[in-house]
Amino acid sequence: TLTGGTYSAGAGATRILMGGLIKLDAAHLMLSCAGSEITFGGTAIENSLTTIAKGAALQILGGRNYTTTQKLTNSGTLALGGGVLTAKALNDKGTSVLTGFGTLATNLTSGSSIVATGGTLELNGKTNTLSGTMSGTGTLAFGGTTDLGAGSQLKVSHIAMISKATLNIDTPLSFAGTFDIEGKATIAGSGAFTSTGLFAQTGAGLATISDAFTNNGTIQIGAGGTLAFSGGLANTGLILDSGAFTDTASLTGGALTVGAHGTSAVIASGSGSGNSTLSTLTVGGGTLNTSGTTLTVTGDYNNTAAGVGNAYNAFAGVTGTIDGHGTQLGVIGVNGTTITTVNGTLTITIAAGGTASFEIENTGAAGSAALRGALQTTVNGGHITGKALSGSGVTAQDFGPILAGGASGVFTIAYSSGALNGQAIHIASDFANVAGLTIDIVSGQAPLDSRAPAYFGGHTWSDRVPESAAWVHGVVHAAA
């Protein structure tokens, strides 16, 4: 038993003490660099030490690798300084601390403190069973299979899952830092996981998450990566998909952005689990598949690949149904223009030489989704030909977003002269459950103050009525 003080070996140093298996008791054993060696009766320290007692410490510094054939019991402090520690097993008795950075390439059973400082502390044994507090300003990396049980607390600033690692979460856990998955990995278990920081997959491969997952921060999938959720995903934060995102249970709330260049997102894939809801949906050139279910947006849906005006397609790259919660499309005449219904069709009547004005409205109640869309002049019933009509109201263009209860800016139509035959505009919306509107534009009677009388000898005047009628003549008798 080594007691009191510090026992250290510098570069190339050797200390030979008599003894067999060694226990640290209130002592500090320090191996400071590669080439350090302490032997006991001719047996290297690595194959001699079995116990680190409470109050004692083993420091393996300077990137030194330490391999032992013993099972090491730690009730004190084990500090790594960049090297690799390999043992048959590492067990603690409830008071231990594993700290520093480097690799623990052995099975770990711990209900005590793990503190990652100075870099990455990698737990790379085949099986690890943890139920203590994990903290520190460094990165705690999980390899192999790690079980997080009751009593576990994640207070470390950065967590990494090594490719092909498995993390079983068997207790409710929350994590506020950065959680990186390096390619393929598995997160399972009976416990629920809540992320309030950044949860990211940074490498290629499929990462599956089958426990209940709540995202209050940001989920980020990199190019070539896939995150597949099957235990339900409650989302109040943001999902940034530049790889592939799959949710085989209903997705609720939050925002989803599907990035460009061959990315995809599948929601409620073939599970019959019902429809999903998002507050904000952005399809940024990638693809979205709702897998036969309806995805309802409660805030704003923006498809950056939708196109402009007559080329507008709100569902470019989308397979499935996207609805707007409560959204309603309306149109209203302004600045003296009245929009009527003629034979079941909305109609704007405008006189030659005159103008008409209108606004597009979102007449949904408060809390409804915003409205986007396009004014179209050659498709979906839109038909503007010739030069008789001009202005923003007959120019193909996009509009929105229009919030619930709000309206667009004013669109104007100017009518110069000539016949108006079959002229119409179409207003397209961005939601499957919000039908577009087609509005006919017809010529009509000019305003009273613009009528042009024909004068005949001071006694006869003429007045023009709608073009479908003839000129009407009358006689005016002047009083004496």
Side-chain angles (χ1 to χ4, degrees):
T1 301
L2 302 183
T3 60
T6 298
Y7 300 79
S8 64
T14 300
R15 290 187 179 183
I16 302 175
L17 296 93
M18 301 302 294
L21 299 180
I22 304 300
K23 173 184 177 182
L24 289 183
D25 188 359
H28 288 227
L29 179 60
M30 181 184 297
L31 305 179
S32 61
C33 59
S36 297
E37 183 179 359
I38 297 180
T39 63
F40 293 82
T43 302
I45 183 69
E46 287 85 344
N47 296 318
S48 303
L49 186 63
T50 61
T51 305
I52 305 173
K54 183 178 180 180
L58 170 61
Q59 293 180 281
I60 308 172
L61 306 176
R64 189 183 194 282
N65 295 335
Y66 183 103
T67 302
T68 177
T69 58
Q70 301 296 323
K71 292 181 180 179
L72 185 59
T73 298
N74 179 27
S75 296
T77 298
L78 174 58
L80 301 183
V84 179
L85 170 61
T86 305
K88 274 190 175 182
L90 180 61
N91 301 307
D92 78 74
K93 295 301 182 181
T95 59
S96 73
V97 177
L98 172 64
T99 187
F101 65 103
T103 301
L104 181 64
T106 191
N107 298 338
L108 171 64
T109 300
S110 176
S112 300
S113 296
I114 299 175
V115 183
T117 59
T120 298
L121 179 58
E122 182 177 312
L123 307 182
N124 202 18
K126 186 176 181 181
T127 58
N128 302 299
T129 303
L130 309 178
S131 56
T133 299
M134 287 145 267
S135 62
T137 57
T139 299
L140 181 61
F142 294 115
T145 298
T146 301
D147 296 332
L148 299 181
S152 297
Q153 297 184 60
L154 299 178
K155 297 182 178 181
V156 68
S157 61
H158 194 163
I159 290 176
M161 283 189 70
I162 301 167
S163 181
K164 301 181 181 180
T166 296
L167 186 63
N168 293 319
I169 300 174
D170 295 321
T171 188
L173 285 177
S174 295
F175 182 59
T178 298
F179 194 123
D180 280 326
I181 298 178
E182 300 174 6
K184 182 178 180 180
T186 300
I187 297 179
S190 58
F193 186 83
T194 299
S195 174
T196 58
L198 174 63
F199 187 87
Q201 186 187 33
T202 57
L206 171 63
T208 60
I209 297 98
S210 61
D211 65 334
F213 197 102
T214 298
N215 175 46
N216 296 330
T218 299
I219 295 174
Q220 184 171 302
I221 306 116
T226 300
L227 275 181
F229 294 84
S230 60
L233 177 56
N235 179 42
T236 63
L238 172 63
I239 302 171
L240 296 172
D241 173 25
S242 295
F245 162 66
T246 303
D247 182 21
T248 57
S250 295
L251 171 66
T252 57
L256 169 63
T257 296
V258 184
H261 309 302
T263 62
S264 63
V266 182
I267 298 176
S269 176
S271 65
S273 57
N275 301 325
S276 297
T277 303
L278 287 169
S279 63
T280 304
L281 173 62
T282 302
V283 179
T287 59
L288 172 67
N289 186 346
T290 69
S291 298
T293 65
T294 297
L295 175 59
T296 299
V297 176
T298 61
D300 185 26
Y301 164 49
N302 183 21
N303 189 336
T304 63
V308 177
N310 293 318
Y312 181 80
N313 175 12
F315 309 113
V318 175
T319 301
T321 302
I322 300 175
D323 283 356
H325 172 70
T327 310
Q328 296 184 30
L329 169 62
V331 63
I332 184 172
V334 296
N335 299 335
T337 299
T338 299
I339 300 177
T340 60
T341 301
V342 179
N343 296 325
T345 302
L346 293 176
T347 302
I348 293 176
T349 302
I350 183 171
T355 61
S357 302
F358 66 90
E359 291 179 341
I360 299 169
E361 293 183 312
N362 180 355
T363 58
S368 299
L371 173 69
R372 295 177 185 263
L375 192 156
Q376 299 178 323
T377 59
T378 62
V379 295
N380 298 321
H383 184 73
I384 299 296
T385 59
K387 298 180 179 179
L389 298 176
S390 62
S392 60
V394 289
T395 301
Q397 58 189 290
D398 292 354
F399 64 82
I402 303 173
L403 300 180
S408 67
V410 176
F411 293 90
T412 60
I413 304 172
Y415 174 24
S416 58
S417 61
L420 298 181
N421 296 317
Q423 303 299 290
I425 56 175
H426 181 76
I427 301 174
S429 87
D430 60 343
F431 292 120
N433 65 329
V434 181
L437 297 175
T438 298
I439 304 172
D440 288 344
I441 304 173
V442 300
S443 60
Q445 182 173 323
L448 181 63
D449 60 3
S450 66
R451 296 174 188 175
Y455 182 69
F456 295 94
H459 299 289
T460 304
W461 61 275
S462 62
D463 189 12
R464 191 175 185 187
V465 298
E467 291 182 352
S468 58
W471 284 87
V472 177
H473 301 272
V475 176
V476 176
H477 299 279

